Amino acid sequence: MNACVFCDLIEAGDALVADRPAAAAFLPRSPLAPGHTLVVPRRHVVDMFAAEDEDLAATMQLAREVAGALRDVAGAQGVNLLHASGEAAEQSVFHLHFHVVPRWSDDNFTTWPSGRSGRAGDAAPEHRLRRALELP
Amino acid sequence: MNACVFCDLIEAGDALVADRPAAAAFLPRSPLAPGHTLVVPRRHVVDMFAAEDEDLAATMQLAREVAGALRDVAGAQGVNLLHASGEAAEQSVFHLHFHVVPRWSDDNFTTWPSGRSGRAGDAAPEHRLRRALELP
C-alpha cells in the first residue's frame, strides 16, 4: 500500500487498460461517459506545477493513444480532456491525472463550464503574464 | 490571412503572451476567469487525433509554464486544463488548443461537468480498450 490510491492501482496493475514505461491508464469509479479513462504518469507527481516536461510528454502521448482507441473501438466521435491542479481547481486525488472523456454528437451532454469565475471582475493580468513568459 | 484564426494570431504575434519555437499562448475573447489563457502548437494541427507527440509535448510544456505564471503573477491557487477534440466534443476552433483556467478557492465556480453522457447506459468498453492498448 502506498499513501496514494493511484500509485496502488499502478502497482497492482490488474485494473490498468494501458501500461507504458512512464504512463498508465485506467477507468474511474464514476465515469462521465462509457470509456471515460484516466491517464497518469507512473511516477508519483502531485500536479502540473510539480511535473517535469517528461512526465507531461509521456502522459499526453498515452492520452492521445487512449483518444484514438476510444474512437476506434468505442466509436467515439470526439474527446474532451479535463484536468485539475490544486484543491482550488477541484483536484480530488493528488496524483497528476487527465480525464479523457469520449463524446458523441447525440450524447446530450456538455463539458464546457456553464458559469464564470467570481474573479471575472478583476483586471486582466495580460501584461504581467507576458512579462513572466518573456515577451516584451 | 490564413484559413485559421489561430494561425493568423500566431503570425501577427502582437496578441501573444508567450511565444516558443513550437507553441504559443494568447488570451481568449471570452475568458472564463481573469488570466484564462489558450495554449496552442504553432504548427496547424486540427486536434489530438491529428497531433504528433512533439506537438503535444511542446504545447504541454508551455501550458505548464503558463500555469506557473498564473500562480506567480496572478496569484492563482490552482488551474484547470480543458480541451476538446472534434465537433462532437464541442471544439469550436479547429486548431488544437488547451484552455488553462486559473482557479481560486473563493471563485464560486466549477469546471467539472454537472451532467453525464447520454451514452452512460452502454456497456463499458474496458476489455476492448485494453486490447487496443496492448494489454491482455
Side-chain angles (χ1 to χ4, degrees):
Chain A
M1 292 283 290
N2 299 284
C4 168
V5 291
F6 286 178
C7 285
D8 281 342
L9 264 167
I10 293 163
E11 202 173 295
D14 54 316
L16 302 182
V17 295
D19 200 5
R20 299 287 180 268
F26 49 88
L27 306 195
R29 286 195 192 172
S30 298
L32 292 170
H36 174 175
T37 301
L38 296 183
V39 182
V40 303
R42 284 188 66 96
R43 192 170 84 83
H44 183 77
V45 180
V46 171
D47 57 21
M48 289 257 313
F49 300 112
E52 303 284 343
D53 290 334
E54 293 70 28
D55 300 317
L56 293 173
T59 304
M60 289 305 289
Q61 183 170 342
L62 181 52
R64 187 177 61 72
E65 284 187 70
V66 166
L70 287 169
R71 186 180 56 177
D72 296 343
V73 308
Q77 296 167 346
V79 295
N80 290 119
L81 242 78
L82 307 177
H83 164 78
S85 276
E87 200 170 344
E90 304 171 86
Q91 183 174 6
S92 53
V93 176
F94 292 89
H95 182 131
L96 177 69
H97 57 286
F98 292 89
H99 298 263
V100 186
V101 181
R103 299 294 306 274
W104 290 266
S105 56
D106 63 353
D107 60 13
N108 288 313
F109 175 49
T110 180
T111 61
W112 189 247
S114 57
R116 282 174 193 245
S117 173
R119 295 253 174 171
D122 294 11
E126 187 166 358
H127 64 288
R128 280 179 287 145
L129 272 180
R130 189 175 280 137
R131 211 158 48 201
L133 295 163
E134 294 160 31
L135 275 186
Chain B
M1 292 283 289
N2 299 284
C4 167
V5 291
F6 286 177
C7 286
D8 281 343
L9 266 167
I10 293 163
E11 201 173 294
D14 54 317
L16 302 183
V17 295
D19 200 6
R20 299 286 181 270
F26 49 88
L27 306 195
R29 286 195 192 171
S30 299
L32 292 170
H36 174 174
T37 301
L38 297 182
V39 182
V40 303
R42 285 189 66 98
R43 194 169 83 83
H44 184 77
V45 180
V46 172
D47 58 20
M48 290 256 313
F49 300 113
E52 304 282 344
D53 291 334
E54 294 70 27
D55 300 317
L56 292 173
T59 305
M60 289 305 290
Q61 183 170 342
L62 181 52
R64 188 178 60 73
E65 284 187 69
V66 167
L70 288 168
R71 187 180 54 177
D72 297 343
V73 308
Q77 296 167 347
V79 295
N80 290 119
L81 243 78
L82 306 176
H83 164 78
S85 276
E87 200 171 344
E90 304 170 87
Q91 183 175 7
S92 53
V93 176
F94 292 88
H95 182 130
L96 176 70
H97 57 285
F98 292 88
H99 298 264
V100 186
V101 181
R103 298 294 306 275
W104 289 267
S105 57
D106 63 351
D107 61 11
N108 287 313
F109 176 49
T110 180
T111 61
W112 189 247
S114 58
R116 281 175 193 245
S117 172
R119 294 253 176 172
D122 294 10
E126 186 167 358
H127 64 287
R128 280 179 288 145
L129 273 179
R130 188 174 281 139
R131 210 158 49 203
L133 294 163
E134 294 159 30
L135 274 186

